[in-house]
Amino acid sequence: MHSILEIRSEVQNALDANSPLVALESALISHGLSYPQNLETAQALEQAARENGAVPATIAVIEGKIRVGLTEKELERLATGKGVRKVSRRDLAIAVAQKLDGATTVAATMYVASLSGIEVVATGGIGGVHRGRPSDISADLPELAQTRVTVVCSGAKSILDLPLTLEWLETYGVPILGYRTDEFPAFYSRQSGLPVDARVDTPEEAARIIRTKWELGLEGGVLVTVPVPEEAELPREVVEEAIERALTAAQEQGITGKALTPFLLSHIARITEGRSLAANIALLRNNAAVAAQIAKALAECQGGSLA
Ligand code: PSU
Ligand code: MN
């Protein structure tokens, strides 16, 4: 069997040179946003990573091949394709063996990033524990517990149960850093009222904690949380009301499982007349930029931090 990964040459060159890299998830392209904003956002995230000194590697499955780094055409294919499967950890083998197109969630992106040797993943919000359904836990959480990758995000999607999500991460030993914040961000809003484990104010401070964790032999990931830029923030009351309405609609229409997240997100965008969408795109771009800066700091902080 050939290598299970198809790594784009630009990405391979950066890996060989130990240059900074940022992996980007693709579920947000196929399932989080709609066309054409999804394609524009995917391109903007790659650009934000580049402008901040890292090579972007958007990860996806194309006709059964796990691709690390995509061409413009492939981004377009994910943004416009109808039958693109949302691929989390459990779906990876199915998508490969059945030669499907798949857009990877944070969990699957983390796994592929770690196989490739990429240390940082950027996204909007991770999955977590669903409100009122504590047994519906995103595969993103156990992935953070076991896979050695840093995930830069704006917290968990605010449609989730944030306190329960944080409890889960504590149980499984995932450190949560606040990037220039003392509070766990609430995706569309900058504050949640919940504390992070440590505040960091520079990419170097984040890199030092991440490297130290791994040097201590503590496997698994680190979560770096970055609040949405102020000018794009939505007031918490507005978000809460929109979420309540979306959750009620989901219940009435019997939406569950992997369809739930995309349903809630698009419903909330309609209720907030696009403001949630603008916030989502702004935080994604900002997270890609911060992720690139952390990747750079990590590249300059290779081992030895315990010495
Ligand atoms: N955040 C968004 N839009 C998304 C997602 C997160 O703003 O589409 C995706 C991510 O790919 C995340 C996934 O990994 O939702 C979690 O889905 P689930 O709860 O089904 O595991
Ligand atoms: Mn779920």
Side-chain angles (χ1 to χ4, degrees), residues 131-133 243-256 260 263-264 267:
R131 290 187 194 188
R133 267 182 241 253
I243 292 170
E244 287 305 326
R245 282 171 60 189
L247 283 170
T248 307
Q251 203 159 20
E252 282 167 5
Q253 297 175 40
I255 314 275
T256 55
L260 185 60
F263 176 88
L264 294 175
H267 219 82

Side-chain angles (χ1 to χ4, degrees), residues 50-252:
R50 279 186 209 288
E51 283 168 3
N52 286 275
V55 171
T58 304
I59 288 173
V61 184
I62 305 282
E63 286 182 320
K65 297 251 166 24
I66 299 179
R67 308 293 306 272
V68 182
L70 300 179
T71 62
E72 279 297 308
K73 266 219 156 70
E74 288 163 343
L75 282 182
E76 217 173 294
R77 179 176 171 133
L78 292 174
T80 55
K82 289 282 166 279
V84 182
R85 186 173 175 132
K86 179 175 158 188
V87 171
S88 197
R89 167 177 270 262
R90 68 160 179 197
D91 310 282
L92 263 177
I94 296 168
V96 170
Q98 297 191 337
K99 302 201 179 349
L100 307 176
D101 278 357
T104 51
T105 64
V106 170
T109 303
M110 284 180 74
Y111 180 71
V112 173
S114 80
L115 280 184
S116 322
I118 301 175
E119 297 187 312
V120 181
V121 171
T123 184
I126 58 164
V129 183
H130 276 276
R131 290 187 194 188
R133 267 182 241 253
S135 59
D136 183 350
I137 298 174
S138 169
D140 293 353
L141 298 189
E143 204 63 47
L144 278 161
Q146 64 184 313
T147 301
R148 194 190 237 256
V149 165
T150 292
V151 175
V152 179
C153 65
S154 296
K157 283 165 285 179
S158 46
I159 51 179
L160 300 170
D161 188 319
L162 298 186
L164 280 188
T165 299
L166 293 181
E167 292 291 352
W168 198 103
L169 291 168
E170 180 194 4
T171 300
Y172 288 92
V174 180
I176 301 173
L177 309 183
Y179 192 78
R180 297 181 184 158
T181 178
D182 297 299
E183 274 188 41
F184 189 69
F187 202 69
Y188 301 123
S189 316
R190 291 174 61 83
Q191 291 175 325
S192 65
L194 302 162
V196 291
D197 299 323
R199 176 190 177 116
V200 293
D201 287 295
T202 63
E204 290 72 26
E205 268 182 82
R208 210 172 316 125
I209 293 172
I210 295 161
R211 276 272 174 267
T212 304
K213 179 182 191 237
W214 293 337
E215 282 172 22
L216 287 168
L218 293 163
E219 282 308 322
V222 174
L223 201 60
V224 178
T225 60
V226 189
V228 58
E230 252 161 76
E231 62 280 7
E233 179 181 31
L234 259 70
R236 247 161 92 191
E237 320 77 67
V238 171
V239 177
E240 279 306 313
E241 203 213 310
I243 292 170
E244 287 305 326
R245 282 171 60 189
L247 283 170
T248 307
Q251 203 159 20
E252 282 167 5

